[in-house]
Amino acid sequence: MQNIYLAIPLASLFGAVIAGLFGRQIGRAGAHWVTILGVATSFVLSLLVLKDLLLDGGAVYNAPVYTWMVSDGIRFEVGFLIDNLTALMMVVVTGVSLMVHIYTIGYMHDDPGYQRFFSYISLFTFSMLMLVMANNFMQLFFGWEAVGLVSYLLIGFWYKKESAIYANMKAFLVNRVGDFGFLLGIATILYFTGSLDYYEVFGKTAQLVDGEIEIFSGAAWSAITVACILLFVGAMGKSAQVPLHVWLPDSMEGPTPISALIHAATMVTAGIFMVARMSPLFEYSETALSFVMVIGATTAFFMGLIGIVQNDIKRVIAYSTLSQLGYMTVALGASAYSVAIFHLMTHAFFKALLFLAAGAVIIALHHEQDMRKMGGLKKYLPITYWVSLIGTLALIGFPGSSGFFSKDSIIEAVHLSELPGAGYAYVMVLMGVFVTAFYSFRLLFLVFHGEERMDAHAREHLHEPGAVVWLPLVLLAIPSAIIGWLTIEPLLFGDFFKGVLFTLEQHDVVAEIGEEFTTPLAFMLHGLGGVAVWLAAAGFALAWYIYLRNPEIAEQAKIRFALVYRILDQKYFFDRFNEIVFAGGARLIGSLLWRVADSMLIDGLIVNGSAYLVGRASRVLRVVQTGYLNHYAFAMVAGLILLLGWAMLG
Amino acid sequence: MNAFIPPNLMPALPELVLLGMACLVLVVDLFLPQNKRGFTLLLALAALLATAATLWQVAPVEIMVSFNGSFVIDRLAVILKLGLLLILFLVFVYSRDFLREFGMYRGEYYALGLFAALGMMIMISAYSFLLLYLGLELLALSLYAMIAFRRDSAVASEAAMKYFVLGAMASGILLYGMSLFYGVTGTLDLARLSDVIRIQSVESPVMLSFALTFIVVGIAFKLGAVPFHMWVPDVYHGAPTSVTLFLGTAPKIAGFAMAIRLLVDGAGALQVEWGQMFVALAVASLAIGNIVAIAQTNFKRMLAYSTVSHVGFIMMGLLAGTATGYAAAMFYTLTYALTAAAAFGVLMLLSRDGREASDLADLRGLNDRHPWYAALLAIALFSMAGVPPTVGFYAKLVVVNAVIQVDMLWLAIVAVLFSVIGLFYYLRAVKVMYFDKPEEGQEFHLLDALDNRLLLSANGVSLLLLGLFPSALMAWCLTAFV
């Protein structure tokens, strides 16, 4: 099996390397074939691994494959931990990635950077696989940084576009903040347990629980709380939680397939995955769990609100992603790790679907992203419309759809949680359901229904994109619709995650839900009686009334609630704040240090000054070498006398 | 009246072989027409190989002393001699095309070279003042003649003259020191000397220090340490490059051996005293060598000053006074000789329009025309500068480490600082090769034969390999001192 495990990431890496280094030689078709074959290999092998673990009863694999170095007793290794969680993530990552690869053939058809693009997304798949398959923190960190790097490269893929460069810089910098916390978290764990290996660390959790850190003298903090919160800071950066979320909406500057693959389905869920993986640590710190839950709940509701006022089709979906990531985070905070992973999976499918569908609309309208210039597209793009509808229904949690099962489980889990902050979180996630339904149908109505607002030229060229575009859409629509129904029982209440995710008995809200669970159908019917479904329905109704029945209301509301609109339109002024305080402050410090420290002291005094001194000395000393023999002899005698003097007197 | 006991000739067998072969080369060459000169070279190379083979055969496991205690063969001698013979082999091959091009392709170069080699091997094995002095003079006389090899060149004659006069002076000083030692201790035998010093130092320490100073000056002159370095730039510059190559490599090994024999084997009990003098000489050499090299426009002069600074490093290893320090200095000496061989080897290939390349400007655009040679020269320069992963880095590292181990952190810092300054002129040469454009019509006229090219490439690559895997050679060097 070890060879298969190795082959899974390496197949993607192979494709990336070939397409990246020899892109010119193999041409466009060669680039997409080699990467698609690579990722397809990874996907098939991942399925095999999942099958081996589930059906054939294969054992959990945990072993190093390569020791990079041993320093001071700490082993730095590349190793794999393959259990059900890993296998599930592998299938999701490679599956979505494969769909995106195929879709890209159509979407990037005319782009001059075609080969580069394929190389990047394959490289991303490799990095993400290394991240999820890691059995130690070092490799986790490698994968973490590698996906961040590829994300940076891809946001700025159109590197001649000013806004894209701004966005990728922003993503990079914000992620630095998160990664710094993450690194500190790993360091804390290493400090207290002396190991980087997951299982060894989990085995020594007691040392973390008993450990105390005194950062400010007099205030001792529990080591595990510090470690978990620091790790979660990393997750906040990668999974875009408030206040480190600001990079994700801007990341939509990248090509749409990227938004689907990296900024919706996979990379941004790395934080969720990481916290779930670390569940044996997080469980022992209620403070950290509460922190996680509050941050997640805040993100879930308030980011959804911003989605309402956006006009760019991709940005609406981006804010929706933020909000859904918030839902997953809330689930983690409520100790419902399996539910978080469940929502991660369903979300990966329906969000990738929505993004790719949005991409299809964008291509059909020749890269027009403003929803105010769309409308009535239903009759031109029927396939896109129907798959978008499926995705939207899944997103709002329409009973029976995949999103319904996962989201309802989250709401139920938060409801049952007794941790501090659970009450706040419950209100937030419920209101979030209403908001989600509202902005989702607003998008659907503005784009596919109502009057046609595009110009005549665009309308003439409207037609459904080719099969490479709609086929992945259909393939993603199927799991978006049904996968929740099929997998809720084994994933949440079966023993799929047994021995993988760890929950203390007093936190085990999933088991409480499970006591009443009988069949998916019963769960659905039970959900119909809950408030969430009706909130979603209300959101739908309101969107229908405002955007289809009575469009003037939207404009009037904008004027009536000008202050609220402005706050939402400015995204709670996060960007403005960062721009002025952090960016401005950093620039100020930078320019001060540059002028005073660098230009004056280092360059002026130390570098140029010493160079000047040396050059001067060199010219002077050179004169001593006169070429006259008597001078040379004199120097020797003088040296002899000096040495003699030293020897005699010293 | 004791009966005459013939000495055991076995330990000196390599020297005897070399002597015989050198004489043979001298005689055979007389009867060769000019176009058969290649045979002399072959014979000279055969002499080196035969000597090395003999040495390998007679190399004892334990230390062996002969000629009434004045000749020694031990691990140190074996390793240094092997290194010496290897370097000379390279030197002889590299020189051939250069000598032919500039009308100096005569058997005397090889005969003198072999006699110089004999002198150096005797120095390495000398266990008494007299024998060491003999070896030294044999080496020096051969070198004087070699430097003046191109009789009609004014600079060469001038360089030879200067070297001769100053060398005679240094010889006198050294000899004076030896006589003082003899006066105080009553022995010329280095092994006995150390025993006597241990007792005597209490009675007449001043006299011993006095004598020691003269010995140190003699060694410093041979190595070319400041302020006894004045001959180095002029001689390096004035001598034909093939002789500079000879002069800049092998005698460093002999000089190192001389320092070990005299100061460690002989005056080991006075380590504190000569260590202090070495500190002053090392710092001065590092400073003057590195700083003045910056102002040089002539590549050979620049390398001469660079040699001075490297001598500072070798002395640093010695002055630590520990086995690791000596081993580090030995490693430094051997690898430096190898590095210098590569640098001068490349330089010799590049003659332009019948004029030997010696100015920095002559290297302009080398990379455009001959990237492989540019790379080889760059490796050698990086190694001299001490840039990893070349061997020069490791050599500097072990020396600095040895100094730190004896709590002389400040000296280590000084050494590193001056190395940083030194980096400038090495990198300038690299910059000239890679980024400056050659002048119009300035073409490189390469003197390269296949064997030469292969050997030079192997030499350059060995600098990298030794830098990556230095431990074997280092361990070998350590065995000489434990």
Side-chain angles (χ1 to χ4, degrees):
Chain A
M1 276 314 265
Q2 193 189 337
N3 290 335
I4 294 183
Y5 299 146
L6 259 178
I8 291 172
L10 291 184
S12 298
L13 181 64
F14 175 77
V17 169
I18 297 292
L21 297 183
F22 305 104
R24 196 167 298 164
Q25 285 81 357
I26 59 176
R28 298 165 84 88
H32 71 234
W33 275 113
V34 71
T35 49
I36 287 176
L37 282 178
V39 173
T41 311
S42 301
F43 177 57
V44 172
L45 292 177
S46 301
L47 280 178
L48 270 180
V49 169
L50 187 66
K51 172 179 166 286
D52 176 63
L53 282 169
L54 282 187
L55 304 181
D56 306 344
V60 170
Y61 177 90
N62 176 34
V65 290
Y66 172 68
T67 302
W68 181 34
M69 60 176 179
V70 181
S71 171
D72 200 17
I74 300 163
R75 304 181 70 82
F76 294 85
E77 288 171 333
V78 176
F80 294 143
L81 167 59
I82 312 286
D83 54 19
N84 286 351
L85 175 61
T86 311
L88 180 72
M89 287 299 288
M90 281 156 65
V91 171
V92 171
V93 168
T94 52
V96 175
S97 176
L98 182 61
M99 293 304 122
V100 169
H101 270 78
I102 297 170
Y103 177 88
T104 300
I105 300 174
Y107 191 84
M108 299 298 281
H109 190 259
D110 305 320
D111 200 281
Y114 194 75
Q115 289 96 322
R116 185 162 58 97
F117 191 85
F118 274 99
S119 171
Y120 285 170
I121 50 178
S122 270
L123 186 64
F124 169 78
T125 314
F126 161 74
S127 311
M128 192 69 198
L129 285 169
M130 289 300 277
L131 191 160
V132 297
M133 292 168 78
N135 80 338
N136 61 73
F137 285 94
M138 199 222 39
Q139 191 184 333
L140 175 72
F141 189 70
F142 163 77
W144 196 267
E145 291 300 310
V147 292
L149 168 73
V150 185
S151 155
Y152 164 80
L153 290 173
L154 283 167
I155 296 171
F157 184 78
W158 286 313
Y159 52 83
K160 289 181 182 153
K161 205 163 124 192
E162 193 83 23
S163 56
I165 297 305
Y166 177 80
N168 75 348
M169 184 73 90
K170 187 170 175 183
F172 199 75
L173 290 177
V174 173
N175 271 297
R176 261 337 81 229
V177 178
D179 293 350
F180 185 59
F182 189 52
L183 202 55
L184 285 179
I186 294 177
T188 311
I189 287 170
L190 183 62
Y191 179 75
F192 279 96
T193 64
S195 175
L196 286 172
D197 186 86
Y198 288 165
Y199 277 13
E200 274 183 47
V201 169
F202 295 159
K204 293 177 182 166
T205 312
Q207 296 177 13
L208 273 168
V209 174
D210 297 337
E212 282 190 339
I213 298 181
E214 207 168 286
I215 298 173
F216 304 107
S217 59
W221 293 340
S222 150
I224 195 150
T225 301
V226 172
C228 288
I229 289 184
L230 285 172
L231 287 178
F232 180 66
V233 169
M236 282 160 68
K238 194 102 335 196
S239 292
Q241 297 297 300
V242 173
L244 298 181
H245 66 283
V246 289
W247 64 273
L248 187 60
D250 283 17
S251 77
M252 297 302 134
E253 291 296 338
T256 306
I258 291 323
S259 310
L261 175 63
I262 300 186
H263 304 121
T266 54
M267 184 190 83
V268 289
T269 60
I272 311 298
F273 163 78
M274 188 270 290
V275 175
R277 180 53 93 202
M278 296 304 136
S279 57
L281 299 180
F282 277 82
E283 270 306 288
Y284 288 99
S285 175
E286 292 203 352
T287 319
L289 285 177
S290 286
F291 181 73
V292 170
M293 183 148 53
V294 169
I295 293 283
T298 309
T299 309
F301 176 67
F302 288 100
M303 290 304 118
L305 273 185
I306 300 181
I308 297 176
V309 299
Q310 295 297 318
N311 288 319
D312 182 317
I313 180 168
K314 279 178 72 182
R315 278 182 184 259
V316 177
I317 310 180
Y319 279 102
S320 142
T321 306
L322 280 173
S323 163
Q324 296 305 307
L325 288 168
Y327 274 96
M328 296 175 212
T329 309
V330 170
L332 294 173
S335 288
Y337 303 102
S338 56
V339 180
I341 297 295
F342 183 41
H343 193 56
L344 185 162
M345 179 188 72
T346 58
H347 175 256
F349 289 118
F350 66 71
K351 190 51 65 73
L353 169 64
L354 281 172
F355 261 120
L356 295 184
V361 171
I362 293 170
I363 325 177
L365 288 170
H366 297 283
H367 293 272
E368 178 58 66
Q369 304 195 6
D370 192 335
M371 293 193 297
R372 287 168 297 192
K373 294 184 182 154
M374 297 178 186
L377 290 179
K378 183 181 164 188
K379 69 174 181 231
Y380 300 104
L381 309 171
I383 302 176
T384 311
Y385 170 71
W386 285 109
V387 295
S388 296
L389 186 61
I390 293 174
T392 304
L393 290 175
L395 173 60
I396 67 162
F398 184 76
S401 69
S402 64
F404 166 79
F405 289 102
S406 55
K407 194 182 279 183
D408 232 40
S409 309
I410 291 175
I411 294 167
E412 203 55 29
V414 176
H415 188 47
L416 291 171
S417 173
E418 286 158 6
L419 288 171
Y424 166 77
Y426 184 57
V427 176
M428 287 292 138
V429 292
L430 275 184
M431 296 204 303
V433 170
F434 171 76
V435 173
T436 306
F438 182 70
Y439 68 65
S440 300
F441 274 100
R442 169 175 175 263
L443 181 142
L444 198 74
F445 293 147
L446 280 178
V447 173
F448 291 103
H449 295 267
E451 57 178 310
E452 299 171 9
R453 295 180 297 274
M454 55 283 203
D455 55 43
H457 175 74
R459 187 176 304 141
E460 276 172 31
H461 292 87
L462 265 180
H463 62 85
E464 192 85 61
V468 285
V469 172
W470 64 254
L471 187 69
L473 293 180
V474 173
L475 290 180
L476 284 168
I478 296 167
S480 297
I482 59 168
I483 199 157
W485 185 291
L486 297 179
T487 55
I488 180 170
E489 192 163 359
L491 240 46
L492 297 195
F493 312 115
D495 49 12
F496 186 83
F497 285 129
K498 197 173 175 190
V500 178
L501 301 174
F502 172 80
T503 318
L504 287 179
E505 208 168 308
Q506 66 266 35
H507 295 163
D508 201 350
V509 289
V510 181
E512 278 185 61
I513 306 174
E515 282 165 16
E516 294 175 19
F517 181 87
T518 48
T519 62
L521 186 66
F523 185 83
M524 203 170 95
L525 292 174
H526 176 76
L528 283 176
V531 67
V533 171
W534 299 110
L535 279 170
F540 162 74
L542 190 64
W544 174 78
Y545 185 71
I546 294 181
Y547 292 100
L548 283 187
R549 266 320 275 276
N550 212 345
E552 303 93 69
I553 294 183
E555 285 307 311
Q556 280 179 5
K558 201 186 277 183
I559 299 160
R560 188 78 54 83
F561 302 104
L563 181 67
V564 178
Y565 177 77
R566 190 168 148 68
I567 290 175
L568 289 180
D569 192 45
Q570 294 294 318
K571 305 146 199 155
Y572 311 112
F573 299 101
F574 269 113
D575 281 339
R576 189 76 73 79
F577 179 79
N578 289 340
E579 185 72 40
I580 293 170
V581 177
F582 290 116
R587 272 197 292 264
L588 190 69
I589 295 171
S591 85
L592 264 180
L593 287 177
W594 166 58
R595 285 218 188 91
V596 179
D598 201 60
S599 286
M600 266 173 61
L601 292 179
I602 296 177
D603 270 1
L605 203 64
I606 300 176
V607 177
N608 289 335
S610 60
Y612 174 78
L613 202 68
V614 169
R616 194 65 194 272
S618 181
R619 279 191 295 278
V620 170
L621 289 171
R622 191 186 175 193
V623 176
V624 175
Q625 190 84 18
T626 52
Y628 291 114
L629 192 53
N630 49 343
H631 291 173
Y632 294 3
F634 174 76
M636 277 177 67
V637 173
L640 173 68
I641 290 172
L642 277 177
L643 277 184
L644 270 180
W646 186 341
M648 294 300 106
L649 303 175
Chain B
M1 194 67 187
N2 289 338
F4 174 71
I5 306 165
N8 181 5
L9 289 180
M10 278 309 278
L13 200 58
E15 280 78 1
L16 293 174
V17 169
L18 186 57
L19 176 64
M21 291 294 279
C23 293
L24 187 70
V25 166
L26 200 58
V27 174
V28 168
D29 185 61
L30 274 180
F31 298 99
L32 282 177
Q34 179 64 27
N35 59 355
K36 294 270 170 56
R37 206 58 74 197
F39 186 69
T40 314
L41 171 61
L42 279 184
L43 212 54
L45 294 178
L48 294 176
L49 289 178
T51 311
T54 325
L55 181 65
W56 191 255
Q57 285 302 316
V58 303
V61 184
E62 294 294 312
I63 180 168
M64 244 169 102
V65 180
S66 180
F67 291 100
N68 222 352
S70 64
F71 190 94
V72 68
I73 182 158
D74 52 9
R75 292 286 305 191
L76 177 74
V78 173
I79 298 169
L80 286 181
K81 283 179 187 174
L82 283 176
L84 183 78
L85 292 168
L86 170 72
I87 297 288
L88 286 177
F89 190 91
L90 296 175
V91 168
F92 282 1
V93 176
Y94 294 168
S95 304
R96 182 193 54 207
D97 295 314
F98 181 84
L99 292 172
R100 190 186 287 148
E101 175 78 10
F102 294 102
M104 292 182 284
Y105 199 38
R106 286 186 291 272
E108 284 86 353
Y109 177 84
Y110 295 109
L112 284 170
L114 289 178
F115 280 116
L118 181 62
M120 289 189 273
M121 286 179 66
I122 290 174
M123 282 169 78
I124 291 171
S125 271
Y127 226 30
S128 87
F129 280 132
L130 277 184
L131 194 62
L132 192 131
Y133 186 72
L134 279 178
L136 181 65
E137 284 303 288
L138 182 53
L139 166 66
L141 285 172
S142 309
L143 287 180
Y144 301 146
M146 284 173 88
I147 295 165
F149 205 64
R150 199 194 281 167
R151 276 166 305 143
D152 47 357
S153 158
V155 260
S157 308
E158 185 191 328
M161 200 60 206
K162 281 178 180 165
Y163 188 41
F164 177 68
V165 173
L166 295 176
M169 237 177 94
S171 269
I173 290 173
L174 181 70
L175 209 51
Y176 187 54
M178 288 175 174
S179 71
L180 281 174
F181 262 118
Y182 182 64
V184 176
T185 62
T187 180
L188 286 172
D189 197 339
L190 286 170
R192 290 247 299 284
L193 181 76
S194 68
D195 295 338
V196 178
I197 288 178
R198 234 167 262 137
I199 307 153
Q200 289 266 319
S201 59
V202 195
E203 292 171 21
S204 54
V206 177
M207 206 57 206
L208 279 176
S209 301
F210 197 71
L212 185 68
T213 312
F214 286 88
I215 300 281
V216 167
V217 170
I219 294 169
F221 176 83
K222 194 74 232 165
L223 286 171
V226 175
F228 311 100
H229 70 290
M230 297 294 222
W231 61 275
V232 178
D234 287 8
V235 171
Y236 271 47
H237 181 195
T241 310
S242 59
V243 177
T244 311
L245 165 69
F246 189 99
L247 193 70
T249 51
K252 291 284 172 285
I253 300 176
F256 170 78
M258 178 178 162
I260 291 284
R261 291 294 178 221
L262 287 175
L263 296 178
V264 180
D265 291 348
L270 300 173
Q271 201 275 328
V272 179
E273 281 82 359
W274 62 256
Q276 278 177 350
M277 296 182 207
F278 267 37
V279 170
L281 296 175
V283 171
S285 301
L286 286 168
I288 301 285
N290 280 318
I291 290 178
V292 181
I294 290 177
Q296 304 304 320
T297 52
N298 182 291
F299 193 66
K300 280 160 77 181
R301 275 191 102 80
M302 191 194 92
L303 284 183
Y305 280 104
S306 131
T307 307
V308 172
S309 73
H310 287 290
V311 166
F313 263 101
I314 294 172
M315 294 184 120
M316 267 173 62
L318 290 170
L319 67 86
T322 55
T324 44
Y326 298 144
M330 185 169 164
F331 183 90
Y332 201 103
T333 313
L334 288 172
T335 54
Y336 172 70
L338 202 60
T339 311
F344 283 113
V346 175
L347 189 66
M348 275 206 297
L349 293 175
L350 314 170
S351 76
R352 271 177 165 165
D353 316 323
R355 188 174 64 80
E356 57 181 276
S358 69
D359 277 346
L360 266 177
D362 290 336
L363 297 175
R364 275 196 297 233
L366 180 58
N367 182 51
D368 286 353
R369 302 292 151 77
H370 303 287
W372 178 237
Y373 289 121
L376 286 178
L377 188 52
I379 290 174
L381 288 170
F382 278 130
S383 178
M384 287 185 183
V387 176
T390 55
V391 67
F393 168 74
Y394 188 78
K396 282 191 166 59
L397 183 74
V398 284
V399 166
V400 166
N401 218 352
V403 174
I404 291 175
Q405 274 171 9
V406 293
D407 295 327
M408 296 176 89
L409 187 63
W410 70 271
L411 185 58
I413 293 173
V414 167
V416 171
L417 277 181
F418 281 115
S419 296
V420 172
I421 292 177
L423 196 58
F424 172 78
Y425 58 84
Y426 295 119
L427 289 183
R428 184 177 58 190
V430 172
K431 176 220 150 208
V432 168
M433 283 194 298
Y434 279 85
F435 298 108
D436 289 3
K437 293 283 163 252
E439 281 167 29
E440 279 300 308
Q442 218 184 17
E443 274 304 320
F444 288 97
H445 170 57
L446 267 202
L447 310 163
D448 64 337
L450 183 64
D451 51 350
N452 193 348
R453 192 187 312 193
L454 285 178
L455 213 54
L456 197 54
S457 304
N459 189 349
V461 172
S462 74
L463 298 180
L464 279 180
L465 287 180
L466 275 174
L468 292 171
F469 310 103
S471 44
L473 182 59
M474 190 62 209
W476 224 33
C477 288
L478 263 172
T479 59
F481 296 102
V482 286

